[in-house]
Amino acid sequence: MPGEQLTSVWQAIYNQDGPDSVTINKEILKWFLSKASSRYESIQFSERKFFKTFSEATIKFSDFKEFVKKNIREPGVAFSKTCSDLEEMSWSILKSGMKSKLETGDVYKLWCITNRLMDEDTYPPVIFREDASWLLDKILSNLGHNLKSSDDVFSKDKFTFQEMLFIIEDFALSNTSQQQINTCIDGLYMWLVVEVMRKGKVYKRTKKQANWTNWVKRWCVLTPQCLRYYSSDNDSNQKGEFTFIKHTKIESLEMYSGFMKNLKGRFRLANVPMLEMEIAVDDETVKRAWLSDLEEIVQCVRDKTTPVQKLLKERHLKNVEKRNKKNGTTNQVEDIDSALTKTKLRADAQTKKHVFNTSIEIVEPEKETQQKSPSLEKESTEKIKAMFMKIDTNGNGQLDKNEFADFLQGLGLNMSEKESNLVFNSVDTNKSEQICFEEFQIYFCNHVMNETETAECVNVMRKAFLEADRDGSGTLNFREFTEYVWEKNRNANMSKILKSFSNVSTDEISFEDFEKLVAGSGAEVFAPILEEEIEQGTDSSLDDFQGRLQKVYDDTEANELTTYIRQRWNKFASFRRAGKTGSVVMSGGHGMVADIVPGQYSLIDLACFSDLPPLEPKHKVVKNTQWLSSTISGKSGKIIFPPEFDKQIPTEQATSELLRYYGCSFADSQQEQISLLFRHGIQDFTYENGYLEKYVTATNGGAGIEKHDFSHLDCPLSKDSGFFILAKYVENGDFHITAFQLPVRHTLYCPGGVIHCNDYLKGTWRTMLSDETDIDHVHLTHILEEGHEEKFRFEFA
């Protein structure tokens, strides 16, 4: 449940509003957000948007959370970062009024923990008895007590944080040493708030461009957001991190056998083409534990949640169900969420069963025909581009050697011409004697933003190459190569030196050849040399290049690019054309949408529509539906529509943008890779005239909709192909539904779990399906005014 930290804001508002308040004070909330905006860069506040969003006297927590997500976040800032800053702001207001015998740091951590358990629909937010008991039991367990909480501990059904704090102090933490308290609370905090899933020493190496770094030992900390690695276990010197995205690939590898190391428990993480990393742990058992956690993390990233949030969501649904049964009430929205959650859990279980049966079987990324720019947040890309524009003094979108040398000098680096040319050639990967923006961006992301260790290795290789290049030609002949190796490593086998050189060239080798040689056939010869160089450190100005480049990036503002573009394209932005009468008949927009520098692009990269809101298809919004799945395999359940539903749903011509609203898309050459959890078959099906009346209605019990864990491909081969229906439940429980017409030979990809219907299809369709999972099919049922039910079919508006 991303955003559960925001219950802290409700607590802070209640603290300012007074204990007599039963609804949110809108003015105090406005004051709070305005103050937070002035304190934190991740938060931007607009009174106009605030009052436009909240026109009513009362504010629902779910609406507030959506407001934070859409209107408060600074562009490019993660939602979780904004939530954390608002939580910190709330604590600054609340901490002075907290009454406790514990240290302030421990009270803060307990408060953060309970924020994850607070009920979002209460004001002030409270923690219900079931969650309070669960938390108290966890504290007792962490302290090593065999005690369990009981009904005697809790005098009522719900508690504010202050009340819960008194209970924890009296029942669990009395007569406990400070060290035990610190260890207990810190352990829970790291699990439930920081969400540390695993720690430990590993061997790792990283691939960027064509080169692998040497294996190094690192202390790693695994969280749902990223894998951070440090020089040692004191977490003070972070060397880099690997960020998880929905496209992250995981692969199990065989044992690594090298000249210097034999490493078991090896696996690979990849965000192609941005970053690839190999990790080796102690043995296969530890490796399986890592892979299990990593697979869960990537799945949760795709679901926009985390393992802890998923756990708490499931607990919340169960507790609500228990309370509703106890009170004799039902909650349709929670029943729907519960059904969807169960479906998702079944899919997760099948995923793990499929993936970890004997070995990891993750879809391999396709080999790239050309190197692509890494995927970055918009703000980061704009800052890098603004840097590039500063260096490109003649404004032609390319950097030549003179511009690059002037830039290096402006950084305060007194590089020789030989050193400057070597760095230039490292960036100019296509050897065109010009650096385009894409090359500059790839270099910056690969060697500056993501991992300092790689920069260190590249600098050492550059220093070695320059030292070996004694005539300053920019290449190494055989004599220079062998003399350098012999001077640095007297134990090197001369036959291996000869073989290393001949594997790359019979004449002379460039720095690019040298990098390949060090990472490949020459690793045995060069590993001892470069490791010694790394240990000793270097005093070349090459060492400072990455660091100073990073400083330029940090000092660059994203809005500098906007200023540059406005000046560069001023004549287009101010463009006007007048008709015969003098009135303006054509004009430029309010500003340039994008500035495209020379380079190779995919067409989707040139379609600059990211500033526009996402498209939504025409859809029917139906409130208070109830999905009742059948408990008997092979039988249909029913979905009950309210009396006011007129049975009509709108139609749309399908496009990828409109299909995306329901989590679907058209399959094309740009389609991302997908994982199929089950065996599927593809077959042509022909829907004859009368299929709906003669089979669906008369034989199959009536029209319906369905969902299942396997995926669909559906491609109409006939022009008059009928309607393919897609639907979904949104966060507030409303049911959205649209009937789509698909163009001939356009293939719809419908992933597992999507609600759909093919009762209204016509002609021949090529379809992919599976028989390995149950189908949750429900008949369309309509409540009549007098309280009776009838089955019905959709009509199309």
Side-chain angles (χ1 to χ4, degrees), residues 223-235:
T223 71
Q225 290 75 39
C226 64
L227 175 68
R228 297 187 180 90
Y229 37 97
Y230 304 83
S231 298
S232 61
D233 58 2
N234 61 15
D235 293 6

Side-chain angles (χ1 to χ4, degrees), residues 492-505:
N493 187 310
M494 188 53 67
S495 64
K496 290 182 178 178
I497 298 175
L498 295 171
K499 185 178 179 181
S500 297
F501 189 88
S502 62
N503 283 341
V504 178
S505 173

Side-chain angles (χ1 to χ4, degrees), residues 326-450:
K326 181 179 178 181
N327 297 330
T329 61
T330 59
N331 187 317
Q332 283 183 327
V333 176
E334 294 297 350
D335 288 343
I336 292 164
D337 284 346
S338 181
L340 293 175
T341 301
K342 288 175 183 176
T343 300
K344 183 66 188 63
L345 290 175
R346 287 200 303 270
D348 289 346
Q350 289 291 341
T351 301
K352 291 190 176 181
K353 178 180 176 183
H354 174 74
V355 172
F356 295 106
N357 190 10
T358 55
S359 63
I360 300 299
E361 188 182 346
I362 305 296
V363 177
E364 281 287 348
E366 294 181 356
K367 291 186 178 179
E368 300 289 331
T369 55
Q370 65 179 34
Q371 198 170 21
K372 296 181 180 178
S373 299
S375 175
L376 296 170
E377 294 285 356
K378 180 181 177 183
E379 182 179 3
S380 299
T381 302
E382 290 183 351
K383 289 178 69 171
I384 295 172
K385 195 169 183 180
M387 290 172 58
F388 184 84
M389 296 306 182
K390 291 178 183 178
I391 308 170
D392 180 24
T393 53
N394 63 12
N396 68 348
Q398 305 270 9
L399 306 182
D400 58 35
K401 286 190 175 181
N402 291 332
E403 288 174 319
F404 195 74
D406 290 342
F407 172 65
L408 295 177
Q409 190 173 3
L411 292 178
L413 295 172
N414 296 316
M415 284 188 182
S416 65
E417 184 179 355
K418 190 165 79 167
E419 290 175 323
S420 174
N421 288 339
L422 183 60
V423 176
F424 182 91
N425 292 332
S426 298
V427 185
D428 178 25
T429 53
N430 65 4
K431 306 308 173 190
S432 65
E433 298 295 313
Q434 299 276 346
I435 297 174
C436 68
F437 173 68
E438 184 180 26
E439 290 174 319
F440 182 80
Q441 183 180 19
I442 290 172
Y443 181 88
F444 187 83
C445 294
N446 287 347
H447 296 291
V448 180
M449 289 188 72
N450 287 302

Side-chain angles (χ1 to χ4, degrees), residues 255-301:
M255 172 180 172
Y256 173 83
S257 298
F259 177 72
M260 299 177 63
K261 293 181 177 69
N262 292 314
L263 301 172
K264 300 178 182 179
R266 188 165 65 110
F267 56 90
R268 170 177 170 265
L269 297 173
N271 289 338
V272 177
M274 192 171 175
L275 181 61
E276 291 182 63
M277 178 186 296
E278 285 186 5
I279 291 176
V281 293
D282 293 336
D283 54 41
E284 289 296 317
T285 303
V286 178
K287 169 182 163 180
R288 283 194 294 273
W290 272 89
L291 289 173
S292 179
D293 286 345
L294 289 166
E295 182 64 19
E296 183 177 15
I297 285 171
V298 174
Q299 186 59 54
C300 284
V301 169

Side-chain angles (χ1 to χ4, degrees), residues 2-263:
E4 73 283 344
Q5 299 156 272
L6 295 178
T7 57
S8 60
V9 176
W10 253 222
Q11 294 179 60
I13 299 302
Y14 187 76
N15 181 74
Q16 296 295 109
D17 202 14
D20 295 331
S21 176
V22 293
T23 58
I24 291 295
N25 187 312
K26 193 188 302 186
E27 286 299 320
I28 295 179
L29 178 58
K30 184 192 78 172
W31 164 82
F32 177 91
L33 294 176
S34 177
K35 188 173 181 180
S37 177
S38 64
R39 181 180 295 188
Y40 299 101
E41 293 182 357
S42 68
I43 300 168
Q44 59 175 5
F45 176 68
S46 164
E47 281 195 27
R48 180 183 62 80
K49 290 181 180 179
F50 180 81
F51 286 111
K52 183 178 179 181
T53 304
F54 303 119
S55 56
E56 302 294 328
T58 58
I59 300 173
K60 292 182 180 179
F61 184 85
S62 57
D63 294 336
F64 169 69
K65 184 159 53 173
E66 196 66 19
F67 179 73
V68 172
K69 190 180 294 184
K70 293 182 177 179
N71 297 304
I72 289 290
R73 279 192 300 162
E74 186 71 25
V77 174
F79 179 48
S80 58
K81 169 63 176 169
T82 302
C83 291
S84 295
D85 287 344
L86 288 172
E87 186 175 38
E88 186 178 302
M89 176 73 186
S90 302
W91 176 249
S92 68
I93 293 173
L94 293 168
K95 63 182 179 181
S96 61
M98 292 292 177
K99 299 174 182 177
S100 176
K101 304 170 187 175
L102 301 177
E103 293 180 351
T104 303
D106 289 333
V107 176
Y108 170 71
K109 289 177 180 178
L110 281 173
W111 178 73
C112 289
I113 291 167
T114 55
N115 286 341
R116 276 80 183 154
L117 301 173
M118 289 284 181
D119 191 277
E120 297 180 349
D121 297 322
T122 57
Y123 182 71
V126 294
I127 180 171
F128 280 93
R129 181 197 292 260
E130 299 90 348
D131 288 316
S133 177
W134 179 80
L135 176 58
L136 190 56
D137 286 344
K138 292 296 180 185
I139 293 173
L140 291 168
S141 176
N142 272 23
L143 290 170
H145 297 321
N146 293 323
L147 295 171
K148 288 284 185 181
S149 60
S150 63
D151 291 341
D152 297 337
V153 179
F154 302 103
S155 58
K156 51 185 181 178
D157 289 331
K158 52 189 177 181
F159 310 89
T160 64
F161 171 69
Q162 183 66 73
E163 292 169 335
M164 187 65 199
L165 186 59
F166 288 149
I167 293 172
I168 292 172
E169 287 181 353
D170 293 342
F171 189 80
L173 301 182
S174 59
N175 301 319
T176 304
S177 70
Q178 186 60 52
Q179 184 177 356
Q180 285 180 300
I181 292 173
N182 292 151
T183 303
C184 167
I185 295 176
D186 189 60
L188 285 172
Y189 179 80
M190 296 302 287
W191 171 40
L192 291 171
V193 179
V194 184
E195 299 190 47
V196 173
M197 299 181 66
R198 189 168 292 276
K199 288 184 178 183
K201 285 187 178 179
V202 304
Y203 279 98
K204 65 162 286 292
R205 66 174 183 169
T206 304
K207 182 180 181 182
K208 294 194 175 177
Q209 295 180 332
N211 301 317
W212 282 101
T213 63
N214 296 323
W215 286 101
V216 291
K217 186 173 281 189
R218 290 287 180 254
W219 175 260
C220 285
V221 178
L222 179 65
T223 71
Q225 290 75 39
C226 64
L227 175 68
R228 297 187 180 90
Y229 37 97
Y230 304 83
S231 298
S232 61
D233 58 2
N234 61 15
D235 293 6
S236 61
N237 184 16
Q238 184 173 331
K239 301 296 290 185
E241 66 182 37
F242 182 99
T243 301
F244 300 112
I245 59 176
K246 65 180 180 179
H247 304 300
T248 295
K249 304 291 187 251
I250 308 166
E251 180 185 8
S252 177
L253 301 174
E254 298 296 327
M255 172 180 172
Y256 173 83
S257 298
F259 177 72
M260 299 177 63
K261 293 181 177 69
N262 292 314
L263 301 172

